[in-house]
Amino acid sequence: MNHLDRRDFLTRLTLATAAIAAPGYGFSGVGRADEFVEVATTHGRLRGARNEGVTIFKGIPYGGRVSGDRRFRRPAPIAPWTGVRDALQFGAPAIQAPRRNEPDPAEDCLFLNVWTPASDNRKRPVMFYSHGGGFVGGSGASGGQDGSNLARNFDVVIVETNHRLGLLGFLYLDELAGSDYAGSGNMGMLDITLGLKWVHDNIAQFGGDPNNVMIWGESGGGAKTSCLYAMPDAAPYFNKASIESGPGVRMIAKDVAAETTAMLLKELNIAPKDWRKLLDVPAATLLTIQNKLPSVPPFQEKNRTQSLMRRNYGGFGPVVDGVVLPHHPFDPTAPAISRNKPLLVGWNEDEYTFFAWQSKDTAFAKLDFEGVQKKLEPQYGQDTDKIVDTYRKANPNASAPAVFVAISSITMMGLGSVDIAEKKVKQGGAPVYLYNFGYKSEKKIPGTDYAMGTPHAMDISFKFNNELPPRDGSEPKESYFGGNRPERFAASRHFAELWTTFARTGKPAAKDVPAWPAYNLTTRPTMRIDATCEVIDNRFSQELAMWRSIGKV
């Protein structure tokens, strides 16, 4: 297997949330409840289920129909209901492959879920999470994201949405379809913004504070958070943000999006003037076509050496249309619109091992240094010697596979994260805090003796505080990614407490964790999150100096 290019990477991100929605990562059961709780919203009363100190409301509609004549447009208004509507089952996820333990995907997918300690007007911090899966997969009921423990243990309110994805969420029609379709290239993002507006209008009834909302997300959810941080439509509805293993520095330019639209129409044998025929194509057919179209169109190949969320890339995702997304989220600068909103940003130390596990790549674990060189040369060309030499000098005891993982992981998610932190500092507004998640799972990648370490997506269960010993005192089960060592419980507690304290105050802090200084361009402090946390100044200084010297950060 060659080193991951963008098309491979996006494909695997699409599969990532499906891969981790497995036994051991399930949500609290729907059928069991200590009691039912009713709450009034702007459109009618809802009934949620209370269990072990947390009330969960599932499948709440926050937008109306997005199918039929509303395809590629802003949603229809929500139809109010009379009586009490059950909010006991998850709503349909966006169109994608079927998802384990969830309803069938559907075009009409604008539902959200709420976890709250109590509907008591206590004005708790609200943590509004955007799921991963690139821009083409996942849902607000994805595995590992159960908000029960965060709500119960840290007295916060958790909200997660389903929203349009892929072609149905990001097909750019502005230049073909007229004013009714303005913003069509960002409908998935506008859905999330509508969810934020719903929170503003309703969350007080669920025990949350509409004036203290944190947006956060991992992987594709980090890129969505990057976009929200730069969007005028979203600006009134949140106060702080966290971008986790998904630094969205740049999004899709209009000309690239228009070319992707042209490719789609050609594939469907629809003339541009007949674009309305897209409204009659079955969603299943559109999904099939979406999966056939390249994530990296040929006209973007010149940029393939840049990392996942940094380049001006093709495929389906948010479009820099000058209105909904006025400019790239963090290029050339941090967005002025969020100058005064604190930010967390960072990545996992061994991001790459997830993708090796997912793709059954065992060859990397057998590499020698000559093999590392050959594996990286197609991507880095004449810079490969300098890259490998720098990593070997900075990590003199690291094996060849470990050097390959370190290089791959920082280029996937690290360089963009550092770029965002630096630009936020230069803006001179609210603080930014840089982190690395470093708890090491001992689980081996199947077919190898190489441990997972801290793979992409492992942070989900940790930061949601879903790495806990059973409350009934029974023997803990092995974590899906996190392994068996009991130290994972402390790492999860630290991660969750840092994030919930940030949600509450705008400054991350936790018991038994050193004070976390805001990032600056002198000492460059980075919090390494683990069973024992530490602040490391100028972390990866040699490696980052090298990446800067070849123009990668």
Side-chain angles (χ1 to χ4, degrees), residues 222-260:
K224 293 167 191 171
T225 303
S226 301
C227 292
L228 292 169
Y229 203 70
M231 286 173 56
D233 284 58
Y237 303 126
F238 72 93
N239 311 89
K240 53 190 76 73
S242 174
I243 298 167
E244 301 142 14
S245 293
V249 176
R250 295 177 63 84
M251 291 295 133
I252 302 173
K254 286 194 292 186
D255 60 335
V256 177
E259 182 68 18
T260 303

Side-chain angles (χ1 to χ4, degrees), residues 294-480:
S295 294
V296 187
F299 47 82
Q300 287 292 292
E301 284 298 293
K302 64 183 180 181
N303 290 325
R304 68 183 293 163
T305 60
Q306 296 185 29
S307 68
L308 170 68
M309 298 294 182
R310 286 179 52 81
R311 69 162 139 233
N312 187 359
Y313 57 78
F316 295 106
V319 178
V320 183
D321 60 6
V323 180
V324 176
L325 188 57
H327 45 73
H328 293 291
F330 286 91
D331 187 39
T333 62
I337 198 170
S338 289
R339 183 179 186 275
N340 296 319
K341 296 179 179 181
L343 181 66
L344 284 169
V345 63
W347 75 100
N348 298 354
E349 289 178 352
D350 306 298
E351 300 274 1
Y352 179 81
T353 59
F354 171 90
F355 300 95
W357 164 80
Q358 193 279 322
S359 65
K360 299 181 172 57
D361 172 25
T362 59
F364 88 92
K366 303 181 182 71
L367 289 172
D368 57 18
F369 284 107
E370 183 180 355
V372 171
Q373 194 92 10
K374 289 179 180 177
K375 198 171 176 70
L376 294 177
E377 274 176 355
Q379 185 170 8
Y380 296 109
Q382 63 183 12
D383 293 322
T384 306
D385 284 346
K386 185 174 186 178
I387 294 168
V388 176
D389 287 349
T390 298
Y391 271 79
R392 292 189 70 177
K393 288 174 183 174
N395 305 277
N397 298 320
S399 66
V403 165
F404 176 75
V405 168
I407 292 169
S408 301
S409 298
I410 201 169
T411 54
M412 284 176 173
M413 301 296 177
L415 299 183
S417 299
V418 171
D419 190 18
I420 285 174
E422 291 179 350
K423 286 171 176 173
K424 181 66 177 169
V425 169
K426 290 174 183 176
Q427 191 177 49
V432 57
Y433 300 89
L434 184 68
Y435 78 90
N436 297 137
F437 180 43
Y439 177 80
K440 299 302 179 191
S441 170
E442 78 283 7
K443 291 188 74 168
K444 300 292 195 292
I445 297 172
T448 78
D449 287 325
Y450 198 93
M452 295 285 283
T454 318
H456 186 73
M458 191 175 88
D459 55 312
I460 297 173
S461 64
F462 279 74
K463 68 195 176 197
F464 274 91
N465 201 211
N466 289 333
E467 299 288 342
L468 284 172
R471 286 194 296 276
D472 62 7
S474 61
E475 191 70 19
K477 294 180 181 178
E478 184 179 54
S479 169
Y480 192 67

